[in-house]
Amino acid sequence: MQSIRNIIIGAGQAGLAMSHCLTEQAEPHVVLERGVVGNSWENERWDSLRLLTPNWQSRLPGYVYSGPDPDGYMRSGDVVDFLQRYAVASSAPIETGVTVTSVTRDAGNYIVSTDKGGWRAENVVLASGACNCTTVPSFARELPDHIAQVSPLTYRNPAELPKGGVLVVGASATGVQLATEIHASGRPVILAAGNHIRMPRHYRGRDIQWWMEHAGLLSVPLAGVDDIARARSVPSLQLVGDQTRQFLDLNTLQDMGVEIVGRLAGIRDATLMFSGALANAMSLSDLKMNRALSQMDAWAMETGLHLEKPPVRFAPTRLPTLPRLTLRISSGTIGTIVWATGFEPDYSWLHLPVFDAKGRLEQKGGVVAPGLYALGLPFMRRRKSTLLDGVGGDARWLVRHITATANRAAA
């Protein structure tokens, strides 16, 4: 069994940022990666995916985007290249093709077992990602076999789907993007929309992410929210990485011919049941958008920012005429369901009492337990914790915590 002071599990943006920050402090460590650097971006993203953040916002500790298109949006392959170049520039000590099978505690150290042997470490950083599994409702098991079920982790493009109509469940960024692409392929699409947040791609001449960053919305700390569990479950904005498209919202999809229905609530008597609260979900979405835009306008006024374009409010989301509440599975209307219902991390190999009653990892600002840390999860220390531009600040804080703890122990 090999011994080292620090082990990082995962070589995505979070793991690489942590490695860079540990190297800066001359902290010995190794990064264990089940696949290749940026494995999730390489193998678990659909073909047309682009980042929701512009290239200029792709910033990691000691490394920033320097290409010719700062206002563009990276494809998943570009993200892989970006991360692999970062790993080389950082001289990150990565062992690829190493799958962690268990993490346990023994005699004050952590035992990390892998398919390539075991490790012993004082500190372990869980940087294996926040989107390892899709959150699919339990009633999905009641669907008959002839209905194909696909997740964003397995979907690649419309050509791989069976013939026939498609029900996309979920109207956040992933859901609206996949519904748009699948409909454009010629398939009839129904989109089941629950909670979502509508947002323009540009506002008053600037990318919405510029506003989110400069107005401070991305840097809101833990202390700045009343309900952190709710803040961590906020859906992603209805955006797409496309400079030419102002909205990819439910109005846009309806204009394309996508049928919009309420949240998929369950299955009864071989019938899909949709919520009748679609109008409420749409109103709340518009309310959240306008509240954010008002915050941006207030910041611009307070700072004396000169902008040629004045504040604007957009027409509300249109409620479809008599949205359907049911759909017989045997009707032949759909042959595939795409579950764009959210993601969660996979810690099935973490054999420690660090989970709450719902099976969620318990952590505060990235600290899970003495010597055990997490990185890259939603709203760990700030709202931007899962972004390329957010993991760096969290990583630097965790490294300071690690070194301070070591110094106290040595004193």
Side-chain angles (χ1 to χ4, degrees):
M1 180 175 291
Q2 302 181 69
S3 295
I4 196 165
R5 182 162 150 72
N6 304 286
I7 291 178
I8 302 169
I9 300 175
Q13 60 263 30
L16 294 177
M18 190 70 188
S19 173
H20 181 94
C21 294
L22 286 172
T23 297
E24 286 183 327
Q25 298 301 316
E27 279 280 347
H29 67 281
V30 66
V31 184
L32 304 180
E33 168 54 53
R34 63 191 168 102
V36 298
V37 171
N39 190 74
S40 295
W41 294 102
E42 175 83 24
N43 298 303
E44 297 173 356
R45 300 293 185 268
W46 62 93
D47 294 346
S48 66
L49 180 142
R50 288 182 181 270
L51 288 185
L52 302 183
T53 52
N55 292 337
W56 57 260
Q57 210 170 24
S58 297
R59 298 176 291 219
L60 290 165
Y63 198 76
V64 299
Y65 175 85
S66 58
D69 188 18
D71 295 318
Y73 307 89
M74 290 188 195
R75 293 185 179 275
S76 54
D78 300 327
V79 178
V80 174
D81 292 342
F82 181 80
L83 294 178
Q84 290 181 349
R85 290 194 299 270
Y86 181 47
V88 172
S90 300
S91 300
I94 305 170
E95 296 205 8
T96 57
V98 177
T99 300
V100 172
T101 56
S102 74
V103 176
T104 57
R105 186 93 165 142
D106 177 56
N109 287 311
Y110 289 97
I111 306 302
V112 179
S113 300
T114 79
D115 60 351
K116 301 291 193 303
W119 291 80
R120 182 184 299 273
E122 296 177 35
N123 303 302
V124 171
V125 180
L126 310 173
S128 50
C131 302
N132 307 123
C133 307
T134 48
T135 54
V136 177
S138 59
F139 59 76
R141 295 191 294 268
E142 301 175 33
L143 288 164
D145 291 341
H146 72 268
I147 299 293
Q149 299 188 56
V150 180
S151 83
L153 299 180
T154 57
Y155 170 87
R156 292 295 174 266
N157 56 66
E160 295 185 352
L161 298 179
K163 294 181 179 180
V166 178
L167 171 64
V168 177
V169 184
S172 294
T174 298
V176 295
Q177 288 180 43
L178 297 188
T180 300
E181 175 173 285
I182 294 168
H183 181 269
S185 74
R187 289 174 170 79
V189 174
I190 301 172
L191 177 69
N195 292 331
H196 60 280
I197 304 178
R198 183 185 181 206
M199 196 63 68
R201 178 72 266 181
H202 297 91
Y203 183 63
R204 301 180 66 181
R206 306 274 184 147
D207 190 280
I208 197 66
Q209 289 292 340
W210 183 93
W211 284 99
M212 296 281 288
E213 176 174 317
H214 287 82
L217 276 67
L218 292 178
S219 297
V220 173
L222 285 172
V225 296
D226 297 327
D227 187 341
I228 187 57
R230 184 178 65 180
R232 286 171 175 161
S233 63
V234 169
S236 57
L237 305 179
Q238 285 180 333
L239 293 174
V240 63
D242 182 348
Q243 292 174 302
T244 65
R245 191 188 291 276
Q246 171 68 324
F247 276 106
L248 189 60
D249 59 3
L250 300 187
N251 285 347
T252 303
L253 268 66
Q254 289 182 79
D255 291 341
M256 293 176 181
V258 173
E259 179 183 352
I260 307 298
V261 298
R263 177 181 60 87
L264 179 57
I267 302 174
R268 184 188 306 160
D269 299 327
T271 299
L272 299 176
M273 313 295 294
F274 301 106
S275 168
L278 177 60
N280 186 55
M282 289 176 164
S283 295
L284 285 175
S285 174
D286 287 340
L287 176 65
K288 293 172 184 175
M289 174 184 68
N290 289 326
R291 184 183 299 155
L293 297 181
S294 293
Q295 288 180 265
M296 297 170 193
D297 291 333
W299 169 81
M301 182 173 293
E302 290 169 5
T303 56
L305 183 67
H306 174 70
L307 294 167
E308 293 183 3
K309 297 186 178 181
V312 62
R313 293 299 176 265
F314 302 96
T317 307
R318 301 190 309 272
L319 181 67
T321 303
L322 297 176
R324 76 166 79 212
L325 299 177
T326 61
L327 175 62
R328 291 286 297 176
I329 296 173
S330 61
S331 67
T333 304
I334 63 167
T336 302
I337 294 181
V338 178
W339 296 106
T341 41
F343 303 91
E344 61 186 6
D346 177 13
Y347 295 125
S348 57
W349 38 266
L350 184 57
H351 302 151
L352 295 166
V354 292
F355 300 96
D356 64 17
K358 294 184 178 180
R360 297 172 300 198
L361 184 73
E362 292 190 297
Q363 54 88 17
K364 186 174 182 180
V367 179
V368 181
L372 185 63
Y373 302 91
L375 188 60
L377 300 180
F379 216 137
M380 286 184 44
R381 300 195 60 76
R382 296 189 181 276
R383 181 167 283 154
K384 62 180 180 179
S385 287
T386 52
L387 301 181
L388 276 175
D389 187 42
V391 293
D394 289 355
R396 292 192 187 283
W397 189 92
L398 291 184
V399 170
R400 288 196 296 270
H401 190 279
I402 287 172
T403 54
T405 301
N407 291 338
R408 286 194 299 268

